[in-house]
Amino acid sequence: MTIRVVLADDQALLRSAFRVLVDSEPDMEVVGEASDGAEAVRLTRDERADVVLMDIRMPGTDGLAATRLITADPGLAHVRVVMLTTFEVDEYVVQSLRAGASGFLGKGAEPEELLNAVRIAAGGEALLSPAATKGLIAKFLAQGDGADDERDPARGERLAALTGREREVLVQVAGGHSNDEIAERLEVSPLTVKTHVNRAMAKLGARDRAQLVVIAYESGLVRPRVD
């Protein structure tokens, strides 16, 4: 199956570079280029995209607003958005994850990182680039960036629906650990971990692991650590 990719960035030169890179792979192709968020949303619908590489800062409808439109559309439930940032310490990173993005990647990432990001996102997994760890998310949630005002009290209540093991796994996910790492820590099989993760996502209404990380912090299950 070929992964259909939409590129959204207001810099034509950067889009061209990404197109050459993506189209060079046998399992993916660029099906559209957008210079603003509104065009990205339209192309995502019209071209039946699987993954959108979305710049956060664009004129008109920015990447954050476009991501919200995409993730709120039931007809685009399969679409995964990967945010592209110039600086990984970006004030909109956590807002992007709250909006439904599957993760984010710095524009200075190596070509293989970007291609891997497309494949990971298309597979339904969360993508947090090496420098953008859960510590970064915790830092933003600990700051007065409006996080308290945007918290959903119902999320804390929904945690009651999780089993003890699901909560335990959620804490590990929020710690940035992979299924294999969690399996080793909890002395269970990776398949068992995957089952718990999927059930937690269903109960909490999370699109992917990136959403689980944010929910874990917003609900208070995991507390931001300020070094």
Side-chain angles (χ1 to χ4, degrees):
M1 182 180 294
T2 300
I3 302 171
R4 300 170 65 82
V5 181
V6 164
L7 304 175
D9 195 295
D10 60 338
Q11 298 182 46
L13 186 59
L14 194 58
R15 293 200 310 271
S16 296
F18 284 160
R19 174 182 278 276
V20 170
L21 181 63
V22 171
D23 283 345
S24 69
E25 297 298 296
D27 61 337
M28 60 183 73
E29 67 172 326
V30 173
V31 295
E33 294 185 29
S35 58
D36 61 61
E39 188 177 8
V41 175
R42 180 183 62 78
L43 285 172
T44 299
R45 291 194 183 107
D46 294 348
E47 301 298 333
R48 304 185 308 282
D50 300 305
V51 176
V52 182
L53 294 178
M54 182 87 74
D55 187 19
I56 289 182
R57 295 187 178 96
M58 291 184 288
T61 303
D62 65 14
L64 183 59
T67 298
R68 285 177 175 148
L69 289 171
I70 290 172
T71 58
D73 188 337
L76 300 177
H78 68 286
V79 178
R80 293 295 177 262
V81 179
V82 176
M83 308 303 295
L84 298 174
T85 67
T86 303
F87 303 102
E88 294 194 50
V89 180
D90 192 295
E91 63 180 304
Y92 295 118
V93 164
V94 172
Q95 292 182 50
S96 298
L97 295 179
R98 286 194 184 109
S102 294
F104 54 96
L105 192 71
K107 290 185 179 180
E110 294 295 323
E112 282 304 314
E113 282 186 87
L114 186 138
L115 294 173
N116 190 46
V118 173
R119 294 187 177 101
I120 290 175
E125 296 295 325
L127 174 83
L128 299 178
S129 63
T133 61
K134 54 91 179 181
L136 176 61
I137 296 174
K139 174 184 174 183
F140 277 104
L141 289 178
Q143 293 175 343
D145 63 348
D148 290 336
D149 295 335
E150 295 177 11
R151 290 189 180 191
D152 178 5
R155 279 181 171 169
E157 296 174 5
R158 288 207 299 270
L159 288 182
L162 301 182
T163 65
R165 180 60 87 177
E166 287 166 356
R167 290 169 69 97
E168 196 172 3
V169 168
L170 178 55
V171 170
Q172 295 297 319
V173 170
H177 303 294
S178 67
N179 283 358
D180 288 342
E181 291 170 339
I182 297 173
E184 184 175 351
R185 283 167 167 256
L186 301 184
E187 299 183 341
V188 296
S189 73
L191 181 59
T192 296
V193 172
K194 183 177 181 180
T195 298
H196 288 313
V197 170
N198 288 340
R199 286 176 178 169
M201 286 170 53
K203 291 178 180 179
L204 297 175
R207 287 170 61 92
D208 54 29
R209 294 171 76 98
Q211 293 288 289
L212 284 181
V213 173
V214 174
I215 291 173
Y217 281 106
E218 286 187 326
S219 66
L221 180 64
V222 178
R223 297 293 182 183
R225 185 181 64 192
V226 180
D227 297 328

